Amino acid sequence: MYNKEKVILTDCDGVLLDWGHAFFAWMTERGYKMVDGYEEIYHIDKIFGIERSESKPLVRAFNESAWMRDLTPLNDAVKYVRKLYEEGGYVFHVITSQTEDVKAQNLRKENLVNVFGEGIFEEIVCLPTGGDKDEALEKYRDSGCYWVEDKVENSDLGVDMGLSSLLIAHGHNVDYDGDATRVANWKEIYNIVMG
């Protein structure tokens, strides 16, 4: 059983790691080009001007590739995640819709430990590519745990489940007006949590 007072739930891509930067480089290597204003778009098909049916297999292929071992941290994530762990005694439970491929999941776990350090991530749950997070979040229902996300739907899901949802600011969620707290970066999260 987890100590809900000392657990922070978090998504991975676009929250801990800069998935977008790596994915865009991967797509560019394959000849795809991003549309103007892509920074404010969430869905891959619209970012690259392709069919949705084409985008899903591309995301899955990327999420199952060796690139999962080398994603870079998002902005100030390392500094403040480590401070929350070292100063506040918090541990992190990661819930990521990456893939069901076990070897790719192992690369994700290796990447997180290499970037952030040992011991910080008490649990890493990898769901199917694009998978819903309802079931994974269910055991935390009404716990009040912090839940850090960048996808509006998942952030709102956290609110509905009685979590303290923090929505990491990106261009694709700039117009968010729901009940989650939109935060600029991990420094702001650190200040809220350590308050």
Side-chain angles (χ1 to χ4, degrees):
M1 190 62 184
Y2 67 96
N3 175 0
K4 68 181 183 182
E5 283 80 31
K6 288 297 178 179
V7 169
I8 295 173
L9 310 172
T10 181
D11 179 31
C12 186
D13 299 313
V15 174
L16 295 170
L17 299 172
D18 194 352
W19 183 91
H21 178 76
F23 181 73
F24 297 160
W26 185 83
M27 289 289 282
T28 301
E29 281 184 6
R30 283 151 184 76
Y32 292 90
K33 294 190 181 348
M34 294 167 279
V35 300
D36 290 338
Y38 73 91
E39 302 90 350
E40 295 180 10
I41 304 171
Y42 181 78
H43 295 286
I44 298 304
D45 55 323
K46 291 181 173 53
I47 289 172
F48 289 96
I50 58 178
E51 293 298 317
R52 183 131 193 178
S53 59
E54 185 183 359
S55 70
K56 287 182 177 184
L58 286 165
V59 170
R60 185 176 305 107
F62 176 75
N63 283 356
E64 293 176 352
S65 76
W67 286 64
M68 289 297 103
R69 185 181 48 238
D70 298 315
L71 298 184
T72 57
L74 186 74
N75 305 327
D76 62 350
V78 172
K79 177 178 180 179
Y80 289 100
V81 165
R82 289 200 61 79
K83 283 171 75 75
L84 285 163
Y85 173 70
E86 292 166 359
E87 295 172 13
Y90 287 90
V91 292
F92 292 78
H93 292 190
V94 178
I95 301 170
T96 175
S97 300
Q98 180 206 0
T99 179
E100 292 178 292
D101 183 283
V102 174
K103 289 186 185 279
Q105 291 175 3
N106 289 338
L107 293 177
R108 159 133 297 170
K109 292 170 185 175
E110 181 184 327
N111 186 201
L112 285 168
V113 170
N114 287 343
V115 170
F116 291 90
E118 293 280 351
I120 293 173
F121 301 107
E122 189 176 77
E123 285 185 25
I124 300 173
V125 175
C126 295
L127 304 171
T129 307
D132 292 334
K133 298 186 176 176
D134 307 59
E135 243 180 82
L137 287 173
E138 186 60 43
K139 76 176 187 177
Y140 305 100
R141 182 182 286 278
D142 296 324
S143 65
C145 284
Y146 287 103
W147 165 231
V148 187
E149 250 290 356
D150 70 311
K151 185 177 178 182
V152 167
E153 293 86 348
N154 289 334
S155 194
D156 287 342
L157 172 65
V159 170
D160 294 343
M161 289 189 146
L163 304 175
S164 297
S165 283
L166 303 174
L167 182 68
I168 288 268
H170 285 281
H172 65 260
N173 62 33
V174 71
D175 294 328
Y176 180 73
D177 65 353
D179 292 327
T181 301
R182 191 166 181 270
V183 293
N185 50 38
W186 275 95
K187 180 179 183 182
E188 196 172 332
I189 293 170
Y190 172 85
N191 290 334
I192 289 169
V193 172
M194 298 294 278

